[in-house]
Amino acid sequence: MYTKNNSIVLLLSLLLFNSSCSTLQDQNSLKQQLDLDFQTSQEKKEMILEYLLNENIDFSIDFGNTSSYHLSDNFLETKMKYFCNSYIDDQKKNLESTIFKLRDDRKKILVVYSKEFANIVSDYIKMYPKEIFLLIDDQDYELQIDEIFDVRSSNNRFSRIQNLDASLDLAHSPRVRQDIEKVYFIINYEIGKRIVPIFRNYSIKINFYSTTEIFHEATNIRELIDFEGITVPISQNIIEEISKNNIRNMKYELEKIILMDFFEIEKIYQNNLSKRNVELSSGVFNISRNACIARDFPLTKLNSDIFMNQI
């Protein structure tokens, strides 16, 4: 038995033996009680304890019960208890509705993806065969982008005009194809930070979208400037809150937010409550004991104003 005044080192050492830990009730204030019983990885145990110790809450927790609920090591891509889908799957559902259903049927959707997401994109290819799909090559991506936007043809036309009279000093901005309404990026961070600025420079009239996966590996909030102009399913408040801290990476910070939501929901369920319009860290949700929780994220367009104070 340990209180929140005990050293975090002692608590983490205790976890190595899969023991239980708990706090003693503070007799001078009324606090909520949270009883937890599940399995997870050592890394996530440390994250969980760090969160609980910073909360004004009495808790008991047992990681040693092998028959208890297993809390996946990947909070973002695995469907957690109480939720209808994983955090990332809910983002995708949100974006799919915005990108493929709310659209100008006279124009195309361009889906740009990297090879690790090929299986996911194969479903989109079947569902939306008339759209444009570009598997990005991490070596020749500039040539691919030029070709998809027909930039080479525009540059060739300019060269022919310029060759008519070499004395003319002509400025040239490539004319890109006009039939693409939206670009959906399904790519990793390393590729994303290189190609998104190129897409943005070619056209400011195209709407760009991505899940938060595109910047999960960013280790500084300032690095999100590479993705300026992209609309993502996350609230601006979350980004601003994350920006106040020294971060390991964006994925880790989002995992902490999902963990906070999970425990808030545990409190509601353990007290046999049902609530509408519950404001959690990742959004506002309706919570009922008879239904799973569906997330409906706000869409935020990343812009330099969000990061201005961090530069």
Side-chain angles (χ1 to χ4, degrees), residues 157-170:
R157 287 194 298 272
F158 174 73
S159 295
R160 289 196 297 270
I161 293 171
Q162 193 173 44
N163 289 337
L164 295 174
D165 189 343
S167 65
L168 294 176
D169 185 13
L170 301 175

Side-chain angles (χ1 to χ4, degrees), residues 118-226:
N119 288 337
I120 295 171
V121 174
S122 66
D123 291 333
Y124 290 142
I125 294 173
K126 295 174 185 176
M127 295 168 62
Y128 309 105
K130 294 182 179 180
E131 309 305 344
I132 306 169
F133 294 88
L134 176 63
L135 174 59
I136 207 74
D137 186 315
D138 60 1
Q139 300 298 322
D140 296 324
Y141 57 88
E142 291 187 72
L143 177 60
Q144 286 182 293
I145 298 170
D146 283 353
E147 290 178 346
I148 206 72
F149 278 123
D150 203 22
V151 171
R152 178 171 293 185
S153 296
S154 177
N155 288 335
N156 288 340
R157 287 194 298 272
F158 174 73
S159 295
R160 289 196 297 270
I161 293 171
Q162 193 173 44
N163 289 337
L164 295 174
D165 189 343
S167 65
L168 294 176
D169 185 13
L170 301 175
H172 173 61
S173 179
R175 177 180 171 82
V176 300
R177 61 189 296 177
Q178 302 296 307
D179 64 335
I180 296 176
E181 180 189 12
K182 302 173 182 178
V183 176
Y184 183 14
F185 293 106
I186 309 178
I187 52 181
N188 61 44
Y189 172 68
E190 288 300 321
I191 293 177
K193 69 181 181 180
R194 285 180 280 166
I195 72 169
V196 170
I198 299 174
F199 275 88
R200 187 173 61 240
N201 289 337
Y202 276 157
S203 180
I204 60 173
K205 296 181 180 179
I206 295 176
N207 296 311
F208 302 116
Y209 299 88
S210 176
T211 67
T212 58
E213 289 172 294
I214 198 170
F215 55 66
H216 278 179
E217 301 310 314
T219 57
N220 189 304
I221 197 71
R222 292 174 293 180
E223 295 173 357
L224 270 62
I225 291 178
D226 289 329

Side-chain angles (χ1 to χ4, degrees), residues 68-80:
S68 61
Y69 169 68
H70 184 267
L71 187 61
S72 171
D73 194 42
N74 192 336
F75 291 172
L76 304 186
E77 296 181 20
T78 303
K79 184 175 77 69
M80 296 176 70

